[in-house]
Amino acid sequence: MTVIKHLAAAAAVTLALTGAAQAADALPTTGALVVVPAFGEVKHTNDQAVATFAIEEQDKDKAAAASRVNQKMKQGVDILKKADPQASLKTQGYYTYPVYPEDRPLANGQVAKPRVPTSWRVGQYVEVTTTNLEALPKTAAAAQKVLSLNNLNFGLAPETTKKLDEQRIAATYKNLNERINSIATAMGRKVGDAVLETVDFEGSGNYAQEGARAAAPMMMRAKAADSMEVAEPSFEPGETTLEMRLVGKVRFK
């Protein structure tokens, strides 16, 4: 029993000395300014689609190619308006450029002749923005009788993004409070000793994502008769994650 008592006493002394040493090594935090980054995000199912349809024609006669493009684009726009009256349409990207024959190596002494185009390629795009995702496959199939679907992106409507902004701010500020609590505990301080001096939303410079790049001119278009039926495509809108970052400055009393 005496040996056990001596061992217990020695252990108590060791723990006391260790605690004193740790207390001596701890840095004072009075007046300390702590910079705390915080993050927040919300997710929502995409409720808007931006589709780009295109038409392209090639002909030896530039005017003939342009005429067919103009006619088919008008047909395609009429189809889109009828299939989805609430959609927003914007024609864009009209282009015309020559198609030249392949260059052949010249024999010794021959002089290169001016290049003459063998045909002309003419095309145009129309961008469709809609929130009627339920009817989108039917709308796309109807338009594809005349036009080709060149690009499709899903996202959130501006109204939806605005509604989610409040949730995103709340989630980010909650994360800030959680991190301040963790930091205070690690520093051996009480949260009540901390004063939040600054809250800098988007302090990281993480601003809105870049807009979608314009579709590159398509080189060839699959030919199809206007009367040919096109099977409806399958689309999965997916979801969008909205993120926010803030930086808070906390000073301990």
Side-chain angles (χ1 to χ4, degrees):
M1 291 296 292
T2 303
V3 175
I4 295 176
K5 288 181 179 180
H6 283 300
L7 289 175
V13 172
T14 302
L15 289 173
L17 291 174
T18 301
Q22 291 177 345
D25 293 338
L27 293 173
T29 57
T30 302
L33 178 65
V34 182
V35 179
V36 185
F39 308 87
E41 65 177 30
V42 293
K43 295 182 179 181
H44 193 279
T45 302
N46 291 325
D47 58 358
Q48 178 177 278
V50 179
T52 303
F53 293 90
I55 181 67
E56 184 179 89
E57 292 289 336
Q58 184 171 331
D59 199 288
K60 293 181 180 180
D61 187 342
K62 180 170 61 175
S67 180
R68 291 201 300 272
V69 166
N70 297 345
Q71 181 183 14
K72 291 186 177 182
M73 178 55 72
K74 184 180 184 304
Q75 292 175 0
V77 168
D78 289 342
I79 290 173
L80 289 167
K81 288 181 177 179
K82 183 178 179 181
D84 190 351
Q86 303 302 319
S88 173
L89 275 64
K90 181 175 69 174
T91 53
Q92 58 186 13
Y94 201 108
Y95 59 91
T96 303
Y97 59 90
V99 178
Y100 292 98
E102 294 183 4
D103 291 330
R104 295 182 179 180
L106 299 175
N108 293 335
Q110 289 186 341
V111 179
K113 296 180 180 180
R115 299 181 70 197
V116 178
T118 56
S119 62
W120 292 85
R121 187 169 287 152
V122 182
Q124 187 180 12
Y125 299 97
V126 58
E127 183 182 86
V128 182
T129 303
T130 180
T131 55
N132 190 0
L133 302 189
E134 184 177 351
L136 183 59
K138 185 176 181 180
T139 300
Q144 284 178 299
K145 295 178 183 178
V146 181
L147 309 175
S148 63
L149 180 59
N150 186 260
N151 192 35
L152 178 63
N153 289 305
F154 291 96
L156 299 177
E159 297 80 6
T160 305
T161 302
K162 186 176 181 180
K163 291 179 181 178
L164 293 174
D165 199 42
E166 184 177 345
Q167 298 178 27
R168 184 169 48 162
I169 291 173
T172 310
Y173 194 74
K174 179 181 178 181
N175 181 250
L176 175 65
N177 281 302
E178 292 172 350
R179 303 194 83 181
I180 291 174
N181 272 272
S182 298
I183 291 171
T185 301
M187 294 174 64
R189 299 296 301 270
K190 297 178 180 179
V191 178
D193 295 336
V195 177
L196 188 58
E197 290 192 345
T198 304
V199 178
D200 180 13
F201 284 89
E202 296 292 359
S204 65
N206 182 27
Y207 296 102
Q209 296 181 358
E210 295 181 1
R213 295 180 180 178
M218 63 178 198
M219 296 305 295
M220 291 298 292
R221 182 181 72 87
K223 300 291 183 178
D226 292 355
S227 61
M228 183 177 179
E229 292 295 327
V230 178
E232 292 184 10
S234 297
F235 299 133
E236 294 295 336
E239 65 179 17
T240 292
T241 300
L242 297 177
E243 299 178 345
M244 178 170 282
R245 178 188 178 100
L246 69 79
V247 175
K249 293 184 179 180
V250 181
R251 189 177 297 278
F252 285 92
K253 300 176 183 179

